[in-house]
Amino acid sequence: MKNIGSWKIFILLILAGVIIFAFLYFIFFKKQKRNEILLYGNIEIREVSLSFRVSGKLSELYFEEGDYVKKGQVLARLEEDTFKADLAEAKAREAEASATKINADDIYRRNLALCADETISKEECKNILTNKNKSEADYNLAAAQFQNARIAYNDTKLLAPNDGIILTRITEIGTILGAGTPVYSMSLFKPLWARAYIKEEDLGKVKLGQRAYISSDSMPEREFRAHIGFISPVAEFTPKTVETLSLRTDLVYRLRVIIDDEDEKLNLYLRQGMPVNIRVPLEEEILNGG
């Protein structure tokens, strides 16, 4: 009988321990989980189509698909001969107009006193002033044409607008290109963000600039620092590609979570369209300028 009583006490102690553990789990763990929001999203990267601002014959292509490029690097060139000729001609016209302007200004200065005391006729003074103004206008026009020719010559080089990776090499050397014809498509390294959706019931818990952390299934142990950079003011139905059919009818708000991490290999870890997990701690401070 004593053994049976001891077993009953032992079982009661175990049950009490389980109840206490469950209570503590609910109080501390569940409470801690409520202090953050877990969202799911996809990485978004900006792509740009690169082209020349002038037309011409393509003479050089320096990069292939998959090559990394730095901001300001020369990606391609057009043949320069006609642009050099236009630049030289425009420079000569500017020099000629400058000489004419200097001469007209000199004549005006020499005759200014003579016109004031009417030593020479008003008609002649009027012609001197007209020639001065015309020579100045001609010089301004020639200077503008020279500047345009210089810009056109510089535009025979296609420069990378930012750090990125070449996605597509669209054309080949020898092609006659019109202005604006795409040569490369390029993916930019920055800005890099995740597109996510949040339920209306959680919308009031997040604010612009709020700290967030992003991780991917391929590197779950690594979290990248980010912040909420955009909260859509318009509700929308959950996209059909998100979650299950039952959730597609829910109204949600779109978020843009901008990645702040400065890791040089960030583009290797997070790629276009990659699904990611987004953790938003509710007690984190709002970042300045968010």
Side-chain angles (χ1 to χ4, degrees), residues 145-158:
Q145 290 174 340
F146 174 58
Q147 181 66 14
N148 286 337
R150 182 160 54 188
I151 292 173
Y153 174 73
N154 291 335
D155 282 341
T156 60
K157 295 183 293 185
L158 181 61

Side-chain angles (χ1 to χ4, degrees), residues 35-93:
N35 286 336
E36 67 180 27
I37 297 175
L38 185 60
L39 304 174
Y40 303 95
N42 296 87
I43 293 297
E44 296 284 344
I45 300 175
R46 284 183 179 160
E47 296 180 12
V48 59
S49 179
L50 303 178
S51 59
F52 293 97
R53 293 200 299 178
V54 294
S55 58
K57 184 177 181 180
L58 188 61
S59 63
E60 298 289 344
L61 283 170
Y62 297 114
F63 292 93
E64 298 287 346
E65 295 174 354
D67 288 344
Y68 291 88
V69 297
K70 293 288 187 179
K71 180 179 180 179
Q73 272 191 300
V74 179
L75 306 180
R77 290 179 184 270
L78 296 177
E79 288 188 354
E80 300 176 349
D81 49 357
T82 57
F83 294 93
K84 284 182 177 179
D86 291 343
L87 183 61
E89 182 180 353
K91 185 177 182 180
R93 285 199 300 266

Side-chain angles (χ1 to χ4, degrees), residues 204-229:
K205 301 176 184 178
V206 298
K207 297 178 177 61
L208 285 176
Q210 188 165 349
R211 173 64 70 194
Y213 300 90
I214 291 178
S215 62
S216 65
D217 293 337
S218 60
M219 294 184 63
E221 73 286 352
R222 173 71 186 274
E223 284 191 324
F224 300 94
R225 292 180 296 107
H227 70 275
I228 297 177

Side-chain angles (χ1 to χ4, degrees), residues 48-52 75 158-161 166 170 181-186:
V48 59
S49 179
L50 303 178
S51 59
F52 293 97
L75 306 180
L158 181 61
L159 305 181
I166 300 297
I170 300 172
T181 302
V183 178
Y184 291 110
S185 65
M186 174 180 169

Side-chain angles (χ1 to χ4, degrees), residues 102 268 282:
I102 291 172
L268 299 177
L282 300 181

